[in-house]
Every structure is written in structure tokens, then in C-alpha cells.
Amino acid sequence: MSDTVESADQISGEGSRELKRSLARALRAQKMRALAMIAPLLIFILVTFIAPIADMLFRSVENEIVSDTLPLTVKALDDWDYSSGQAPSEKVFAAFYYDMYVASELKEHTRLGSRLNYETTGISSLFRKSGRRVDRFDTDIYTKQFTALDPAWAAPATWETLAGVLEETPDALPETAGALKDYEHMLKADGKTLAKTKPVDMLFTALYRDLAAGAPGPEGTLAPIFAQAKAAVGSFETVSIRDQFSAIDKGWLDPEVWGTIKAYAPKFTPGYFLTAIDYKLTPHGIEKQPEDQQVYLKLFWRTLVMSLAITVSCILLGYPVAYLLANLPMRTSNLLMILVLLPFWTSLLVRTSAWKVLLQNQGVINDILVWAHIIGEDGRLALINNQTGTIIAMTHILLPFMILPLYSVMQTIPPTYVRAAKSLGATDWTAFWRVYFPQSVPGIGAGSILVFILAIGYYITPELVGGTSGIFISNRIAYHISSSLNWGLAAALGSILLAAVMLLYWAYDKIVGIDNVKLG
């Protein structure tokens, strides 16, 4: 009997486990089907929204161009102290010579110069001039002396063998190992190899400097030729690389230039964000920008204030229109709705250009005011190329984004509520303010968020009608992307703008409550 019960319990337990496994398989299949259905939308959002924002955040701190273009110089500058007030040693200039030789061949020195020129004016010119002349330095004197000592030094095979040896023991000839690494990088980019390319002057320069400094040199098959060279370098005629760069431009002896290179040597930098808030990263540390260059905080503040003014203007103008649309007979309401939607069917550029014609000093509005004797000929209003023009034009352009959410919410408000209030003795104003308006607040919230967020990112309208006092921070972002090509600063400005929007959204949620925002 007990065996029968035990067997029944086992069968029951196995059945329960099988049932759980079947249920789990069914749930997994259901989840996979749901994931497959939303996958296209998820991929679209990742590619078109999340990835660009992530790239922008990365670019706002990324600074690999200095360390990638001048790897040997960055390493050599570790031992240099900016506070000494002196230009770096010959060792740093030698490392810079190897890096610049390769960078000029790969046409990377101009990009690097442009990057550092954002921080210290004039560096771009130094890099351009040096890039044109670095392959004509007098360092060929070392090439001639080494090849005169032994013709084997001119053979590519010698340097190929040396590169293989130094790959294992770079400390045997540290500068030569670094120069060879730079040179091989250049050859690889050109599709060439060390075995089939004539050795250049910078390799002989590095070799001389290593042997003159007492480097042990490699062992093995190359030991005899190195022993001969090591014994002879003491009598070699020499040339100063520091003097070679100084002959191109005395600016290379300015510690400020090298301090900038050292300050921006790390792969990641706070420099773009500091510039975006009117500070800068200097060799001395973090400093405030000169007063005449403090523009970005003013632009951020102006963007927020003017966007708020545009939002308020849209509420004041849009609320009565939305009220009419929601309360007029359907036929009249549809006709008015077409007028509201008409701007969506007209090009933004055309609408902005129209405002440029209307608002100018000799434009239609000023002509009408003069004709009506409201203002005199000498008192024409300045309505364009200033903040007034930007607010007027953007209020008109963004007005539909306020009217449509308001209209959607107002349509859901039962008219019986107002009639009930009036039947209880309320005046028209009291019935509106105490009964109707509170129910339309969610529409105001939705329209305000739409208009405000669209306004702070607007670019075309402020650019065309804003002049110097009516442009937004978005215009500076566009300038750095398309004209100055300072993408890092543009990304930092965009990141701060994004953070400001998220902060305001958070504040709105705390004060008003995002649940109160409705579109109908």
C-alpha cells in the first residue's frame, strides 16, 4: 500500500514539474514574440535617438587627437615642468620631431593644430609652418655620417632587423624604438613596408641620440655594426633639433604652447565643458575667460528667458483661439482650424522670410503705423534683428503647437459644467475661472512643454531675424558644427542644453505634475 502511495506521489511530482516547465516555455515564447513585435521600434529609437545623444556626450569629453598624433611628445613632456618658465629640453623637441615628421606625412598636423588653436590662439600657424619644413631639417647630417661609417645603414633590411629586435627589447634603444614605431605607422597608412623603404633622417637622428646617451644597443647579428657606430658617434657632427624648430618660428620656445599641449594631452578632457560655461583649462589650471569672451552663459540665459517669453505669448494668444475652436459650431470651427493648420503647410523659411519683410524698418508694419499717424517718420520701430523680432516671429511659428493641445483638452470639457455654475448664481467670469479654466490647465501644460522645448532648440528663425542680440545658444552650436568645426565644444553646449531641459522637466513634474499634462 505504501509503495502505491509513494509511486503516486512520484508521478504527481513529475507531472507538476513538467507542467511548470511547459508554463515557463510558454511564457518565454510569449515574451520573445512581444520583443520581436517591438524590435523594429526599439532599434529605430536606439539608432536615431539614443545613439546620437550618446555620441554627443562622448564627443564633449573626447580628446584623443593630441595623444594619438604626438604619442612620443606626450610621454616626453611628463618630465617637463611648466612652472619653470622655460621651454622643454632637447629630448622633448626630439620626440616632437619624430611625431611631427609622421603627422606631416599623414596630413594630421593641421587637424591637431586646429584643435589646440581653440585653446591658445596661434598654435595652428606653428603646426602648419613646421609641417611644411620638418622633412627638410638639417638632421640629414646623421644619415650621411652613419652611411659613411657603414653602407649597411642605408639598407632597409638593417632597419627591418632592428625593428624586430627592438620589438622584444625596446630599452636597448628607447628613442629609436619609438621613432621606428611612428615610422612603421606612417608606412602602414601608405601601404608600404619597412623592408622596401629607404630609411629616413629621423631614424638616424634617434639612433644617434640613443648611442650618444649611452644606450646599450641590441645584441645578436647587429651587435658588430652597433659596436662600430657606438665607438664613432662621439666624433659625429651634431645639430640641435630645438634650434631647428626655433628657426621655423620662435613661438616654439614659448612655454605657453607646450603647456597647452601638456594640458590637453589626456584622452579625455573637461576643457570643452569649461569653455561652454566661460571658463578654460590652461597650463596654470582652470581660469575664467576674459570678460570680452564670456558669451556662452549669457546665451544660455537669453535662450531660457526668451523661450519662456515665447511660451507665455503663445499661451496668451493661443488660449482664446482654442476656446473659440472648442465652443463654436462645428462648421465654423473647422474653417478656423484650417487657418490654424495653414502654417504647417507653408515652409518655415518662407514664413520667417515673410516676417523679415514685415518687420523691417521700411516694412509693412512700420508703414501702416506711420500712415495711421501712430508713430512719426523719425520714430519707426526697431522690430527686426533684435530680440523683439525673434519673439514675434517665433510666437507666430510655434502658436499652433499651443493651440492644438489646448483645443484637444477643451473639447473634452462638458459645457454643462459651466451652465450648472451659472444656474447656481455664478457670473460669466466666475464660471470660467472657477469651473472651466482649471479643467483646461492640462492643455496649457502640454502646450507649454511643447512650445518651450521647441523654442530653446530653434535655429533658423533667430538666425534670420534675431541679429546679434536675438540669437539663441543653438545658433552657436550650429556655428561650431559647420564653421569653426569645434565639434567638442558644440557637443558640450548641446549636452548642457539637454541637461537644462531635463532639469526643467523634473522641476515641472515636481511643481505641476506630469500626470496633469494631457492632449485630449
Side-chain angles (χ1 to χ4, degrees):
M1 180 67 182
S2 62
D3 292 343
T4 305
V5 171
E6 188 174 331
S7 176
D9 289 344
Q10 287 178 350
I11 292 171
S12 176
E14 289 176 1
S16 176
R17 285 194 292 274
E18 181 60 31
L19 182 60
K20 287 180 179 176
R21 282 196 291 271
S22 299
L23 183 60
R25 280 197 298 271
L27 287 174
R28 275 200 302 273
Q30 191 177 16
K31 289 178 181 176
M32 293 303 293
R33 279 197 299 273
L35 183 62
M37 290 178 70
I38 65 166
L41 178 61
L42 188 63
I43 294 170
F44 179 79
I45 292 174
L46 284 173
V47 172
T48 62
F49 186 68
I50 303 297
I53 290 177
D55 183 62
M56 179 187 70
L57 294 173
F58 176 72
R59 282 179 181 274
S60 65
V61 295
E62 183 269 334
N63 188 52
E64 294 182 345
I65 186 171
V66 179
S67 56
D68 286 352
T69 310
L70 304 177
L72 301 179
T73 310
V74 168
K75 190 176 179 183
L77 277 172
D78 284 343
D79 298 330
W80 176 69
D81 184 9
Y82 169 76
S83 62
S84 67
Q86 301 293 321
S89 64
E90 180 78 7
K91 179 185 175 185
V92 174
F93 275 96
F96 186 58
Y97 167 55
Y98 311 143
D99 288 334
M100 273 296 290
Y101 190 98
V102 174
S104 65
E105 290 291 329
L106 298 179
K107 311 297 182 192
E108 292 176 345
H109 65 296
T110 52
R111 269 197 327 124
L112 175 61
S114 300
R115 164 68 188 95
L116 294 174
N117 203 64
Y118 298 142
E119 317 303 336
T120 301
T121 305
I123 288 187
S124 178
S125 170
L126 290 179
F127 274 88
R128 288 179 190 279
K129 284 195 283 187
S130 303
R132 289 193 295 269
R133 293 173 58 180
V134 73
D135 61 345
R136 300 200 299 271
F137 275 11
D138 294 338
T139 49
D140 59 339
I141 192 173
Y142 298 119
T143 308
K144 292 174 183 173
Q145 291 177 99
F146 272 107
T147 53
L149 193 66
D150 191 328
W153 285 115
T158 304
W159 291 93
E160 185 188 21
T161 306
L162 179 60
V165 173
L166 293 182
E167 189 74 26
E168 302 294 330
T169 55
D171 291 339
L173 296 167
E175 282 198 32
T176 309
L180 268 170
K181 204 170 181 180
D182 258 1
Y183 187 56
E184 286 185 301
H185 170 67
M186 182 189 81
L187 294 177
K188 188 177 180 182
D190 288 341
K192 299 176 182 176
T193 61
L194 191 62
K196 297 181 179 179
T197 309
K198 182 181 175 183
V200 294
D201 295 340
M202 79 167 190
L203 297 179
F204 289 98
T205 306
L207 180 61
Y208 165 77
R209 288 181 50 78
D210 274 333
L211 294 179
E219 297 177 351
T221 57
L222 293 175
I225 192 174
F226 269 92
Q228 180 194 28
K230 199 170 181 179
V233 291
S235 60
F236 272 17
E237 189 178 347
T238 62
V239 61
S240 167
I241 299 174
R242 177 177 166 142
D243 290 346
Q244 298 289 306
F245 278 103
S246 173
I248 296 173
D249 196 307
K250 295 292 183 187
W252 285 120
L253 300 181
D254 183 359
E256 199 71 24
V257 172
W258 294 99
T260 302
I261 295 175
K262 187 172 182 177
Y264 286 88
K267 290 183 178 295
F268 298 98
T269 177
Y272 294 123
F273 276 103
L274 290 171
T275 305
I277 56 172
D278 293 335
Y279 282 81
K280 62 179 179 180
L281 181 63
T282 70
H284 317 279
I286 297 173
E287 293 181 352
K288 202 170 179 64
Q289 293 275 15
E291 195 168 342
D292 59 339
Q293 296 179 24
Q294 296 174 15
V295 294
Y296 295 113
L297 285 180
K298 290 178 185 172
L299 277 174
F300 275 118
W301 179 246
R302 181 194 298 168
T303 301
L304 293 177
V305 171
M306 289 181 66
S307 297
L308 189 61
I310 292 164
T311 304
V312 172
S313 301
C314 286
I315 293 172
L316 295 177
L317 293 174
Y319 197 94
V321 176
Y323 182 85
L324 281 175
L325 285 170
N327 291 282
L328 283 175
M330 185 60 70
R331 186 174 178 182
T332 310
S333 174
N334 287 340
L335 183 63
L336 285 178
M337 181 59 78
I338 290 173
L339 296 178
V340 171
L341 295 176
L342 196 60
F344 284 122
W345 304 332
T346 310
S347 164
L348 174 63
L349 195 60
V350 171
R351 280 182 282 162
T352 305
S353 301
W355 277 111
K356 203 168 178 63
V357 173
L358 289 169
L359 296 175
Q360 60 183 296
N361 193 257
Q362 299 296 326
V364 176
I365 293 177
N366 267 311
D367 284 347
I368 291 174
L369 293 175
V370 171
W371 174 77
H373 299 290
I374 296 175
I375 58 174
E377 187 65 38
D378 298 336
R380 286 177 176 266
L381 303 176
L383 300 174
I384 196 74
N385 297 328
N386 51 30
Q387 295 183 12
T388 305
T390 301
I391 291 174
I392 292 174
M394 286 187 62
T395 297
H396 166 254
I397 289 167
L398 295 176
L399 194 56
F401 293 98
M402 179 64 74
I403 293 174
L404 293 178
L406 276 170
Y407 170 70
S408 298
V409 171
M410 287 176 177
Q411 266 200 325
T412 64
I413 301 174
T416 51
Y417 289 3
V418 175
R419 286 201 294 268
K422 289 180 179 177
S423 69
L424 293 174
T427 63
D428 290 345
W429 170 252
T430 303
F432 168 77
W433 186 247
R434 301 280 299 273
V435 176
Y436 190 88
F437 182 77
Q439 296 180 78
S440 66
V441 168
I444 296 176
S448 299
I449 287 180
L450 270 176
V451 171
F452 185 80
I453 292 177
L454 285 173
I456 61 174
Y458 243 65
Y459 158 66
I460 294 177
T461 305
E463 183 72 21
L464 292 180
V465 302
T468 54
S469 64
I471 61 170
F472 284 6
I473 192 67
S474 53
N475 296 99
R476 294 302 295 177
I477 294 174
Y479 167 76
H480 287 305
I481 289 175
S482 59
S483 298
S484 73
L485 303 182
N486 191 349
W487 287 20
L489 179 55
L493 292 170
S495 299
I496 292 174
L497 197 60
L498 175 66
V501 170
M502 294 179 71
L503 183 64
L504 290 171
Y505 180 84
W506 175 82
Y508 184 91
D509 185 35
K510 289 291 179 186
I511 297 170
V512 180
I514 201 65
D515 293 339
N516 291 324
V517 174
K518 293 179 182 176
L519 293 174

